[in-house]
Amino acid sequence: MDNLRKRDSAEVAFLMGMVEEAVQTRLLRPEHRWRLHVAGRTDLLLDSTRDILTAAVAATAGRIDGPELTVAIGYDGRPEPDLVIRTSGERRLSGFLLWQSVQSELYFCDVYWPGFGQADFLRALRAFSHRRRAPAVR
């Protein structure tokens, strides 16, 4: 939510446009098996972004055999993810999910978000599957 509040409206519009395009051009393709979830306050998003995310969640709800993807956007809540993927080559969380990611596995990749594709996601899942995790204390 900090990014939505503090960034210039043109930059927020650009970033939301990237999210919209990624959802529309990748997740909604019939050949993809992703089931989309959204974590965050969609009421704070641009109407177009909120509408696209809401439609994508509904459109992918029946995809019960594939991987699940949670997009955290407009977020300040407390889901407890098993894996946090940080794109862009940064090796920090930048205040994102700090408290929530205490027990999470972290995966860093050099690909920027708009270019983050299925192969990158599968690499993250493969790396995650090779890690030995102690049971989380919640």
Side-chain angles (χ1 to χ4, degrees), residues 31-43:
E31 69 269 16
H32 286 257
R33 299 180 349 211
W34 306 99
R35 182 168 48 178
L36 180 68
H37 303 281
V38 176
R41 298 213 25 214
T42 58
D43 61 306

Side-chain angles (χ1 to χ4, degrees), residues 62-119:
R63 298 176 179 176
I64 57 174
D65 293 330
E68 296 187 20
L69 174 65
T70 300
V71 174
I73 188 167
Y75 177 81
D76 267 350
R78 192 179 189 273
E80 297 170 342
D82 292 317
L83 174 64
V84 175
I85 300 171
R86 169 65 177 189
T87 59
S88 80
E90 295 291 336
R91 300 295 187 258
R92 58 190 172 87
L93 293 179
S94 304
F96 180 72
L97 294 174
L98 289 179
W99 181 48
Q100 300 84 346
S101 62
V102 159
Q103 298 294 328
S104 302
E105 295 292 329
L106 305 177
Y107 179 82
F108 301 98
C109 68
D110 293 329
V111 179
Y112 283 92
W113 164 247
F116 188 84
Q118 183 174 4

Side-chain angles (χ1 to χ4, degrees), residues 8-86:
D8 178 78
S9 61
E11 186 177 7
V12 170
F14 173 75
L15 294 170
M16 293 302 112
M18 289 188 335
V19 170
E20 293 174 16
E21 182 193 359
V23 168
Q24 289 179 313
T25 61
R26 294 183 185 177
L27 292 175
L28 293 179
R29 289 183 187 164
E31 69 269 16
H32 286 257
R33 299 180 349 211
W34 306 99
R35 182 168 48 178
L36 180 68
H37 303 281
V38 176
R41 298 213 25 214
T42 58
D43 61 306
L44 299 177
L45 302 177
L46 300 175
D47 290 345
S48 59
T49 306
R50 181 182 57 250
D51 293 346
I52 287 170
L53 288 171
T54 300
V57 167
T60 62
R63 298 176 179 176
I64 57 174
D65 293 330
E68 296 187 20
L69 174 65
T70 300
V71 174
I73 188 167
Y75 177 81
D76 267 350
R78 192 179 189 273
E80 297 170 342
D82 292 317
L83 174 64
V84 175
I85 300 171
R86 169 65 177 189

